Amino acid sequence: MSRGVRRAGAGQGAAAAVQLLVTLSFLPSVVEAQVTGVLDDCLCDIDSIDNFNTFKIFPKIKKLQERDYFRYYKVNLKRPCPFWAEDGHCSIKDCHVEPCPESKIPVGIKAGSSNKYLKVANNTKELEDCEQANKLGAINSTLSNQSKEAFIDWARYDDSQDHFCELDDERSPAAQYVDLLLNPERYTGYKGPSAWRVWNSIYEENCFKPRSVYRPLNPLAPSRGEDDGESFYTWLEGLCLEKRVFYKLISGLHASINLHLCANYLLEETWGKPSWGPNMKEFKRRFDPVETKGEGPRRLKNLYFLYLIELRALSKVAPYFERSIVDLYTGNVEEDADTKTLLLNIFQDTKSFPMHFDEKSMFAGDKKGAKSLKEEFRLHFKNISRIMDCVGCDKCRLWGKLQTQGLGTALKILFSEKEIQKLPENSPSKGFQLTRQEIVALLNAFGRLSTSIRELQNFKVLLQHSRCHCI
């Protein structure tokens, strides 16, 4: 090779290296520039959400999740997939969920009714059991006999028409308590065809999407040349508000889950001791605007939109918990009182947020059409909750079920405003109620979103540091 050719090659290599450094230094600013500003379909900006979450919500919701009432979640991880033959459960050790022995569960949680968060008798002939529950403190001791009868009627009430999720039967022998603090959501190695089939079924069959329109980065989609997903977003923008919201909620949930996996990644394992932490490469692969052809920032914006939806639900459901009749009962009277105080404090913060999503803009057309669309919306989401039983990794299934149920509970709340406003102070309501399972899922799901936004801030800092080191 001639000296001139070598010089030319060296010059080209140096130019490529400089270009790489410029690109790497530019990427963080691109991420920040694209995940900012006012969100579509609402009047809230991302910076306001970041500040509100960091200084008001995150420290308190994290503390709440550590309380006994919220750390134990009863779930059935053995329900068969209702849509296709299962591939068999993941054998990766990090997919395993360690159930909590009954002896470790607080007595008040175990004593509670199988499907209600307050201890009640399930039969009018079992008033003695109801009286015993009264002594345990699950029911306010000042209740009249009439109110006790109302509790019994309430326990029988079938509110399945209000549910956006397929709830596990907590009385099933296969349902077990799980300590969420001992089984954290993080990267397990579960991926490939099994995982893609779950998400593909969610997006392709349940997001009101025609099969002819392919979502961006779908590995099952045919090559579309230079499209880069523009045809998908042209289609999405042409949908009614309700269907756009549905897609954004699912996309936001997907983004949140991916952020948790990136932030709690198995970095190394030495002598059987794993080291977990943020994985920059994985974060860029999933969210960087260059690597995702602009799709990553859109997904992160949908995370913020989902946060707004659940934040609004918490502000709306506050009156339900502010009643003296509601106890977050575990059997530890002092801690139970502190837990309720902390929860009400969080509700006060949610009410103070100045830029809430206006759910009244949804299903606001003619009554018949709005009712039909709402029911379609509910059934599509309920179907997604059933797909969670098709997840092959137990830990992914656990957190998928919990976060889906939490979002489903938030939707149930948003569309039950009139019933919540009519709640009696000292007796249960047939019009609206929440099971303990729903309450635990609602607050933990919102806690996961709060953590996602906090983790996103951490990744931005790490990206800035990497940019400084590259320059």
Side-chain angles (χ1 to χ4, degrees), residues 385-413:
S385 74
R386 298 177 70 207
I387 294 175
M388 290 298 118
D389 284 319
C390 300
V391 176
C393 163
D394 276 352
K395 187 166 287 184
C396 305
R397 181 183 291 209
L398 164 66
W399 286 101
K401 286 169 75 82
L402 181 142
Q403 290 172 87
T404 303
Q405 185 179 13
L407 175 52
T409 304
L411 294 172
K412 171 181 170 179
I413 292 166

Side-chain angles (χ1 to χ4, degrees), residues 71-287:
R71 69 183 287 180
Y72 297 107
Y73 179 62
K74 198 166 190 181
V75 61
N76 184 352
L77 298 176
K78 298 178 181 178
R79 287 177 62 169
C81 173
F83 300 108
W84 57 77
E86 296 182 75
D87 302 325
H89 282 276
C90 181
S91 59
I92 302 173
K93 66 176 182 177
D94 293 318
C95 287
H96 176 67
V97 169
E98 188 63 41
C100 194
E102 287 280 335
S103 60
K104 298 289 185 181
I105 305 300
V107 61
I109 294 177
K110 285 191 294 186
S113 174
S114 60
N115 66 343
K116 299 293 176 186
Y117 75 99
L118 288 176
K119 173 83 174 170
V120 295
N122 289 321
N123 192 300
T124 53
K125 295 180 181 178
E126 296 177 353
L127 280 176
E128 289 184 1
D129 290 342
C130 190
E131 290 290 347
Q132 180 61 29
N134 196 11
K135 292 176 184 177
L136 286 171
I139 298 177
N140 191 309
S141 60
T142 62
L143 293 182
S144 64
N145 286 332
Q146 184 178 5
S147 293
K148 290 170 186 173
E149 292 287 348
F151 264 115
I152 294 164
D153 289 340
W154 171 60
R156 288 173 167 178
Y157 177 71
D158 179 12
D159 58 354
S160 62
Q161 292 303 308
D162 298 325
H163 288 154
F164 281 75
C165 284
E166 185 85 14
L167 301 181
D168 283 346
D169 181 359
E170 295 187 67
R171 295 167 296 183
S172 167
Q176 294 179 300
Y177 284 103
V178 173
D179 185 337
L180 298 174
L181 297 183
L182 297 182
N183 293 275
E185 183 181 22
R186 58 193 179 194
Y187 184 80
T188 65
Y190 175 63
K191 55 186 177 180
S194 176
W196 267 111
R197 180 158 58 171
V198 169
W199 283 111
N200 202 59
S201 178
I202 289 173
Y203 282 113
E204 299 299 319
E205 300 169 17
N206 293 281
C207 284
F208 303 97
K209 191 182 71 60
R211 292 189 178 276
S212 59
V213 177
Y214 294 94
R215 72 184 193 281
L217 306 185
N218 178 2
L220 305 180
S223 176
R224 292 162 295 153
E226 300 299 320
D227 184 356
D228 287 348
E230 289 308 312
S231 61
F232 173 82
Y233 285 102
T234 299
W235 163 80
L236 186 65
E237 289 165 9
L239 289 179
C240 62
L241 171 65
E242 293 81 3
K243 293 182 179 181
R244 287 202 308 274
V245 165
F246 191 97
Y247 173 79
K248 288 180 180 181
L249 295 181
I250 301 306
S251 175
L253 178 60
H254 197 179
S256 179
I257 291 172
N258 279 336
L259 261 172
H260 301 150
L261 306 188
C262 295
N264 292 282
Y265 202 93
L266 180 58
L267 302 177
E268 62 179 354
E269 187 166 3
T270 306
W271 300 104
K273 294 184 179 180
S275 173
W276 303 87
N279 186 315
M280 290 281 293
K281 183 178 179 181
E282 191 67 21
F283 175 82
K284 288 182 179 181
R285 185 180 74 81
R286 295 175 187 263
F287 296 110

Side-chain angles (χ1 to χ4, degrees), residues 408-428:
T409 304
L411 294 172
K412 171 181 170 179
I413 292 166
L414 288 179
F415 302 129
S416 302
E417 183 176 18
K418 292 180 180 178
E419 290 79 6
I420 293 174
Q421 290 174 345
K422 296 177 182 177
L423 288 171
E425 173 62 29
N426 294 312
S427 62

Side-chain angles (χ1 to χ4, degrees), residues 331-389:
N332 184 328
V333 177
E334 184 176 344
E335 180 177 309
D336 293 348
D338 288 344
T339 299
K340 184 170 181 180
T341 299
L342 177 58
L343 179 62
L344 295 183
N345 192 263
I346 291 172
F347 285 144
Q348 287 301 315
D349 285 336
T350 65
K351 290 180 184 178
S352 72
F353 187 71
M355 292 173 281
H356 275 295
F357 174 78
D358 182 11
E359 73 283 356
K360 291 180 181 177
S361 60
M362 296 176 63
F363 309 110
D366 68 279
K367 288 187 177 180
K368 186 176 180 180
K371 184 178 181 180
S372 175
L373 181 59
K374 180 181 176 181
E375 180 63 5
E376 190 180 10
F377 190 101
R378 186 183 73 85
L379 292 177
H380 276 237
F381 193 86
K382 194 168 187 177
N383 211 43
I384 289 174
S385 74
R386 298 177 70 207
I387 294 175
M388 290 298 118
D389 284 319

